[in-house]
Amino acid sequence: MIHVSVLGYGTIGSGVVEVLSTNQESIDKRAGQPIRLKYVLDLRDFPGSPIEDKLVHDYSIIANDPEVQVVVETMGGVHPAYEFVKEALEKGKSVCTSNKELVAAHGAELLALAKEKNVNFLFEASVGGGIPIIRPLNQCLTADEIEEITGILNGTTNYILTKMTDEGSEFETVLKDAQDKGYAERNPEADVEGYDACRKIAILTSLAYGMQVDYQDIYTEGITKITDVDIKYAKALNAAIKIFGTSRKVDGKVYAMVAPMMINQSSPLFSVNDVFNAIFVRGNVLGDVMFYGRGAGKLPTASAVVADVVDAVKHMGKNIMTIWSTKKLELASVDEASHRFFVRLSGEKAANEALAAELFGEVEEVTAEGVTGEYAFITKEMTEKAFKDASCKLPSMISRIRVNF
């Protein structure tokens, strides 16, 4: 029998407990032996709950119990999660986590420690929630050189952009709706400013190229500046606006960024809507594959965590090799990345058209029904730096969005 302990009885932690209980018979069968919950760590009390007799408030009880062989960390944040996870690994316990902040900040270090102690540090749920992506990258796609990973990595922002598109609503209106439905936090900054997606693409990039990618080094732009007028233009182009986390290898250099993109129906990510997430991977041998599903939520995420628990139990006494060294991967400057750009300028068409031609050469004019008093166009493909230099000479620029078609 394997004893498991859960750190944090919030949304995901309680989901893990529920999955372990609901699917106990099939989980035991797949693990090859019974898996039983011994402790749940939380600062709060839960009188009358199913875990009342298993609740502890002192982590040392779990850390010092030799019967506990697998620790599940669902606390979130970096501290004290990092200290707890590190101690568990040092004491020969495998750890399964859904904590993207912890994995992005200390993934390489904790994997190295797990290898040293011949245990496992598993984190399938940290990126795609219920969508399997870590294990495919680590096991199924090892014969490929990864050329690109592009994902809709945050269900909250995808829901907001979908509602803005379907209803023509403004950002603030849809954000409030998302908060009322529980899709967005009261403080939605991590989602709408792109920080959540940034940590996730940092993890994926680190795994794809086997070196540490610091999320602080990734250019990140959120969706707070996307307006209902931008959506009207996108519709006129039969396009949609999505926020992507992307890493791409070009001529031996790796570029990574998080930003809204305008895409059309040629993209496999075009029809990924509402709270659904999807991750597109291009390998040099396999070609294109896509992973799709609910990227968040209590039970989908808990299901991925419990799958890691089963994997840890099946590999007791054997470390699952994951190539992610502490050596830092130097990302290429985002200034060198190339895109087309959709640009809106305020004012009359004639003057703006001449200025756009002077700065960008041949451009594609874009019009949208009901939009007046401005001029919009799409540039040819150019580097971020070239666009930045040219746009400095556009005093009337309202906004710009990268175009991926």
Side-chain angles (χ1 to χ4, degrees), residues 137-279:
L137 270 183
N138 193 35
Q139 298 175 19
C140 308
L141 301 177
T142 51
D144 275 66
E145 293 285 336
I146 303 300
E147 296 177 342
E148 179 183 349
I149 301 175
T150 295
I152 296 172
L153 299 172
N154 182 276
T156 300
T157 49
N158 202 41
Y159 174 82
I160 290 171
L161 290 172
T162 299
K163 290 283 282 186
M164 288 177 70
T165 299
D166 291 348
E167 299 177 2
S169 305
E170 295 181 356
F171 170 80
E172 292 295 342
T173 302
V174 180
L175 173 59
K176 185 177 185 307
D177 169 68
Q179 289 171 323
D180 291 343
K181 290 181 176 174
Y183 296 147
E185 301 288 342
R186 288 299 106 187
N187 178 2
E189 183 182 40
D191 293 325
V192 300
E193 296 293 355
Y195 305 146
D196 176 79
C198 176
R199 287 180 171 87
K200 291 174 179 177
I201 198 64
I203 294 169
L204 292 175
T205 308
S206 297
L207 288 169
Y209 302 111
M211 297 167 66
Q212 174 67 24
V213 174
D214 294 336
Y215 66 86
Q216 299 93 332
D217 295 339
I218 296 176
Y219 175 85
T220 302
E221 188 179 309
I223 65 167
T224 56
K225 294 179 181 177
I226 302 297
T227 68
D228 56 327
V229 177
D230 295 321
I231 300 289
K232 287 179 181 178
Y233 280 112
K235 285 183 174 179
L237 290 162
N238 293 315
I241 299 171
K242 305 285 187 183
I243 180 169
F244 290 155
T246 297
S247 65
R248 186 179 288 120
K249 194 172 189 177
V250 181
D251 299 329
K253 296 179 179 180
V254 177
Y255 300 86
M257 71 186 308
V258 174
M261 297 272 180
M262 199 177 280
I263 58 173
N264 65 11
Q265 294 181 30
S266 66
S267 169
L269 297 167
F270 179 83
S271 57
V272 178
N273 292 317
D274 293 313
V275 294
F276 283 86
N277 288 9
I279 302 161

Side-chain angles (χ1 to χ4, degrees), residues 15-30:
V16 168
V17 172
E18 184 176 336
V19 171
L20 285 171
S21 172
T22 303
N23 294 341
Q24 179 177 296
E25 187 177 338
S26 63
I27 289 167
D28 290 350
K29 190 179 296 183
R30 291 184 174 118

